[in-house]
Amino acid sequence: MPDGGTLVGDRSYPTLMLNADFRPLSYFPLSIWCWQDAVKAVYLDRVSVLSEYEASVHSPSLRMKLPSVIALKDFIPATRRPAFTRFNVFLRDSFACQYCGDAQQTHDLTFDHVIPRSRGGRTTWENVVAACGPCNLRKGNRLPKDCQMIPRQPPRQPTAWELQENGRSFPPNYLHESWRDYLYWDSELES
Ligand SMILES: [Zn+2]
């Protein structure tokens, strides 16, 4: 197997992972592999390389440029239900506070239980929304009707398609340039 060694150094060379139809396997960050996993998948012939970095790794018998975009050779059907994750809740809510509507950096967003946990509210798609810190504090342990703080959109489980659509509006700012074509090709066609 190739070995990172000094050629790769401390830089990270993330690989965008696409399904066999060249769509991202799931929306960022779940479609991004570290170069070690990507190189292993190429070595095992499970993926095709669509784009590469200049940097390479080598072993005595093999030299390989680090892949920046790879696609699975066998198609994996998209899961119907998106995973209930922190990132996906933010993505559903377009990274905006559901009370005041302000867009926030991810690290400034918090999660609010619409019905507070102390009142039996559960941690589900239907009861968790993105909220800025001040709104979350202001709401505290009150019920929406007691404080007149109602989420702008009634929270619910999004479809994978909805998340994908929202994701297009929020390109992570450190996408490698070779990824753009694969993330956005059909939005270009639609516009
Ligand atoms: Zn707010």
Side-chain angles (χ1 to χ4, degrees):
M1 276 301 296
D3 152 359
T6 53
L7 276 176
V8 173
D10 290 335
R11 256 196 75 179
S12 73
Y13 289 90
T15 305
L16 177 64
M17 176 68 181
L18 302 175
N19 210 333
D21 64 355
F22 291 1
R23 288 167 183 267
L25 209 49
S26 57
Y27 199 70
F28 179 87
L30 301 176
S31 282
I32 294 170
W33 288 14
C34 64
W35 68 262
Q36 290 90 337
D37 287 344
V39 164
K40 195 179 294 178
V42 173
Y43 186 78
L44 295 174
D45 203 29
R46 290 191 181 133
V47 296
S48 319
V49 177
L50 304 177
S51 182
E52 298 169 321
Y53 291 104
E54 283 305 311
S56 54
V57 287
H58 62 88
S59 69
S61 59
L62 177 75
R63 180 179 177 85
M64 190 191 296
K65 281 192 169 179
L66 293 177
S68 66
V69 182
I70 55 179
L72 285 175
K73 293 195 167 178
D74 294 319
F75 185 76
I76 295 181
T79 50
R80 294 234 174 92
R81 291 194 201 165
F84 180 62
T85 63
R86 299 158 69 88
F87 184 84
N88 283 345
V89 170
F90 285 163
L91 195 55
R92 179 198 66 186
D93 293 345
S94 301
F95 298 94
C97 173
Q98 288 304 292
Y99 298 111
C100 68
D102 279 357
Q104 304 279 325
Q105 293 291 320
T106 311
H107 54 83
D108 294 329
L109 270 182
T110 65
F111 295 95
D112 179 63
H113 285 75
V114 178
I115 296 173
R117 269 181 295 190
S118 59
R119 307 219 181 180
R122 299 192 319 159
T123 305
T124 60
W125 281 115
E126 292 76 20
N127 195 47
V128 173
V129 296
C132 70
C135 285
N136 202 335
L137 261 182
R138 196 152 57 88
K139 181 163 173 291
N141 277 328
R142 296 181 293 173
L143 292 170
K145 63 179 168 55
D146 294 341
C147 54
Q148 294 306 308
M149 292 177 71
I150 313 284
R152 301 187 152 216
Q153 295 177 3
R156 60 176 177 80
Q157 179 177 285
T159 64
W161 187 84
E162 286 168 334
L163 289 189
Q164 191 90 359
E165 287 301 299
N166 282 358
R168 289 203 176 90
S169 314
F170 298 94
N173 57 11
Y174 49 93
L175 283 183
H176 185 258
E177 57 185 17
S178 70
W179 297 357
R180 286 185 175 276
D181 291 342
Y182 298 97
L183 284 175
Y184 302 118
W185 66 274
D186 52 351
S187 66
E188 293 282 321
L189 289 179
E190 282 160 12
S191 61

